[in-house]
Amino acid sequence: MLNVDLHCHSTVSDGSLSPAAVAARAKAGGVDVWALTDHDEIGGIPQAREAALALGLRYVTGVEISVTWARHTIHIVGLNFDEKNEDLIKGLQSTRSGRERRAHEMAEQLAAVGVPDAFEGALKYVGNPDLISRTHFARHIVETGICRDIQDVFSRFLIEGKPGYVPHRWATLQDAVKWIRGAGGIAVVAHPGRYDLTDMERDVFLAEFKRAGGTGVEVVTGSHTVEEFGIYTRVARAHGLLASRGSDFHAPGESQTELGSLPPLPPSLTPVWHDWRI
Ligand code: AMP
Ligand code: MN
Ligand code: MN
Ligand code: MN
C-alpha cells in the first residue's frame, strides 16, 4: 500500500525546515507520495518538487488556505493543481496581505500583558516575510521562558478570547474552493475535528463546501485523535466525500506526528488520490 502524506509545512509558512529538508524527512519517514501544503503560499513548490523528484518521491502540488466561515477559521487544503494559475496566485496573495498588520496588533496586545517586543521576536523565526503566523509568536514566547511549550502559548495567549488573539478575515469558502478548482485541483477540508462546530454546524458547513465544489475531507491527520479517525470516517461516508491523509508536520520536536507515520485510511473510504496518475 502506498504511504501518502498530503499535509505538512516548511519555512515558506510556519514550519521550521526548508521545503527540501521536509522532502528528505518525508523520504526518511517512508512516504511514497508527498505534498507540501504551506499556509496561503505556494512559493515553496519549485524547491519541494525538485527535492522530491531527486529523492524518488512522487510529488503533488499543495496549499492550505485560511478561510473565514460564519466567524470560524477553517483550513482548506488544495491538492494537485497548476501552481502557475493566475487567479490562484492572486487569491493567495490577497489572503496573505493582512498578516503583517495583524502581527503588529498581536504584538501591541501582548506588550500590554507583559510580553514585550513580540513582533521583533516572532520575526526571528519567520522564513517568509509575507507569512508571519501565530506559530512564530509561539516559538518566540517559548524562547523567552514565559511559557513552557507551544501549546502553553496558544492556550494562554493566542486562541480566541486570549490577550494576543486578533480576529482576522481570511478568504471566503467559495473563493478558496474556486481558486483551487480553477487551477485544476481538488479542495479538501483540513482536520475537521479541530473546529469549534456543533455536529449540526459541521453538517451545514460540509453541505456548503460541497456546493462550492469541494470534494474531500482529511480523516487520518496528525491533528485528529484515534477516536476522531473513526468519527470522520463516518462523516466522510455520510457526506459522500473523498478522504485524505496527512501528518500536518511543522517542526522536529514540535510536531507530535512524524511524516509518513500515521495509520492508513480505513478501506471503506475512497482516497482523494484514487484517480491520480501516480
Ligand atoms: P495563523 O495562520 O497565524 O492563525 O496560525 C495558525 C497556525 O497556528 C496553525 O496552522 C498551527 O500551526 C498553529 N496552531 C493553531 N492553534 C494551535 C494550538 N492550539 N496549538 C499549537 N499550534 C496551533
Ligand atoms: Mn501551521
Ligand atoms: Mn491547519
Ligand atoms: Mn497545516
Side-chain angles (χ1 to χ4, degrees):
M1 188 186 290
L2 286 176
N3 186 335
V4 183
D5 194 319
L6 302 175
H7 191 147
C8 61
H9 300 272
S10 75
T11 45
V12 170
S13 64
D14 61 348
S16 74
L17 303 177
S18 68
V22 182
R25 203 160 174 110
K27 180 71 182 175
V31 174
D32 302 303
V33 182
W34 175 62
L36 176 71
T37 54
D38 277 309
H39 296 286
D40 308 320
E41 174 63 276
I42 54 178
I45 286 179
Q47 195 195 128
R49 179 188 284 120
E50 190 187 337
L53 298 183
L55 290 159
L57 277 172
R58 288 177 245 187
Y59 177 76
V60 179
T61 54
V63 66
E64 182 176 19
I65 306 181
S66 313
V67 158
T68 301
W69 181 80
R71 291 185 297 283
H72 296 273
T73 297
I74 307 263
H75 287 171
I76 302 295
V77 165
L79 296 168
N80 208 14
F81 50 78
D82 168 16
E83 79 272 20
K84 300 243 165 34
N85 183 275
E86 288 287 337
D87 290 339
L88 174 67
I89 291 168
K90 281 197 207 122
L92 293 176
Q93 196 171 16
S94 75
T95 305
R96 291 192 299 270
S97 65
R99 279 185 179 268
E100 185 170 357
R101 174 156 6 123
R102 169 195 189 229
H104 280 294
E105 285 179 35
M106 286 174 62
E108 274 172 40
Q109 294 192 17
L110 287 166
V113 294
V115 185
D117 305 322
F119 184 84
E120 295 72 21
L123 265 194
K124 287 185 297 172
Y125 292 91
V126 169
N128 171 4
D130 240 18
L131 211 118
I132 314 179
S133 135
R134 283 185 289 163
T135 312
H136 302 116
F137 281 85
R139 291 187 184 129
H140 164 67
I141 293 171
V142 170
E143 184 199 316
T144 65
I146 293 169
C147 291
R148 67 176 178 281
D149 57 27
I150 302 269
Q151 254 331 304
D152 189 29
V153 186
F154 272 90
S155 53
R156 279 167 64 189
F157 294 109
L158 299 182
I159 57 173
E160 199 170 347
K162 299 298 172 178
Y165 182 81
V166 174
H168 196 74
R169 274 270 294 282
W170 302 106
T172 66
L173 176 65
Q174 284 71 20
D175 278 346
V177 174
K178 188 180 69 188
W179 298 332
I180 295 164
R181 294 284 308 258
I186 63 162
V188 177
V189 179
H191 42 64
R194 276 220 341 232
Y195 311 121
D196 184 23
L197 298 173
T198 63
D199 287 1
M200 198 185 287
E201 287 169 334
R202 179 198 64 210
D203 288 344
V204 169
F205 168 73
L206 290 176
E208 200 172 318
F209 170 70
K210 283 188 73 172
R211 266 200 308 280
T215 49
V217 67
E218 288 184 346
V219 173
V220 175
T221 144
S223 297
H224 281 172
T225 62
V226 171
E227 191 193 355
E228 287 170 330
F229 296 167
I231 294 171
Y232 291 97
T233 295
R234 290 189 288 279
V235 167
R237 290 179 58 85
H239 285 268
L241 288 162
L242 303 173
S244 192
R245 174 181 187 264
S247 56
D248 208 355
F249 177 85
H250 281 73
E254 219 173 78
S255 291
Q256 315 88 313
T257 309
E258 206 33 80
L259 284 144
S261 71
L262 288 167
L265 286 179
S268 62
L269 295 171
T270 306
V272 291
W273 58 89
H274 75 104
D275 60 352
W276 294 353
R277 281 180 287 127
I278 49 173

